[in-house]
Amino acid sequence: MGVRSKDGSVVFEYHLTSTAEFWRRFGGPPPLAGKRVLDFGASTGGMLQRLLELGAAEVVGVDINPRAVGYGQERLKPYGDRARLILGDVRTLDIGEFDMIVSQNVLEHVMPLEEVVQAVVAKARPGADIYFGFSPMWYSPYGHHQYPPTKIPWYHLIFGEQAVLDAMYRTSGNRFADIHDAGFNKATPDEFEAVFRRLPVDIVSLRRNVVSSGWKQALAGLFTPIARLPGLRKYLTVSIYAHMRKR
């Protein structure tokens, strides 16, 4: 789950720090020296800065949020031509090909899911590594992204989608027609994985409920065996971390 703030600096710093956890869940950052990297759903661009610090030669971020992109473009100016943050739809952008693609906590919001993911993967060169990590998915205990803040698991499924929409209105002042309009695609783990298996990629690893330490790791250990049961899978799968390689 990302940070909820209209302050671009808060969002940027969140992504700076959360990038380390993102890579831990893949076993550590991959070699980045000399690579051209795309961050899909880059928000304010905190991940872009970290990628450069890890050795990337050039980074490009794409996002559809004008406020986030505007802040990030200013923040990344010291990196010159090595860092670009672009406002637009990845399906229509001509941004070339990349040696690596990353995306953190975005795919649970993407619609239409398969069409957009296909467009992202099309930006990868043959042999490029693709890293998708995202949570929480809609049917998981806190899939409503804490709209409203609560400790009650599956609040959104118990009290209904309108409770989530009302909480979003109270927080942001935006009134959405339905949950899809609010930015939740409601895709299940099985639906995500089916999309991945139809991509022109080899799947290097595909794991659910990945955490690296602490009480969440213990909880994930309890969830994982139960989450394999078909009837419970979508309710107990919080995250997916997929590493793929373009054919």
Side-chain angles (χ1 to χ4, degrees), residues 109-111 161 165 176-187:
H109 302 292
V110 166
M111 292 170 279
E161 296 178 0
L165 296 173
F176 299 103
D178 54 34
I179 284 297
H180 289 107
D181 186 41
F184 298 94
N185 62 27
K186 298 176 64 176

Side-chain angles (χ1 to χ4, degrees), residues 200-238:
V201 302
D202 294 317
I203 296 177
V204 179
S205 65
L206 201 164
R207 297 185 296 156
R208 302 181 181 189
N209 291 340
V210 182
V211 292
S212 59
S213 62
W215 66 269
K216 290 184 178 180
Q217 187 174 37
L219 188 61
L222 294 173
F223 268 17
T224 300
I226 306 171
R228 294 193 182 103
L229 298 173
L232 298 177
R233 190 175 294 145
K234 72 179 183 180
Y235 300 107
L236 295 177
T237 303
V238 178

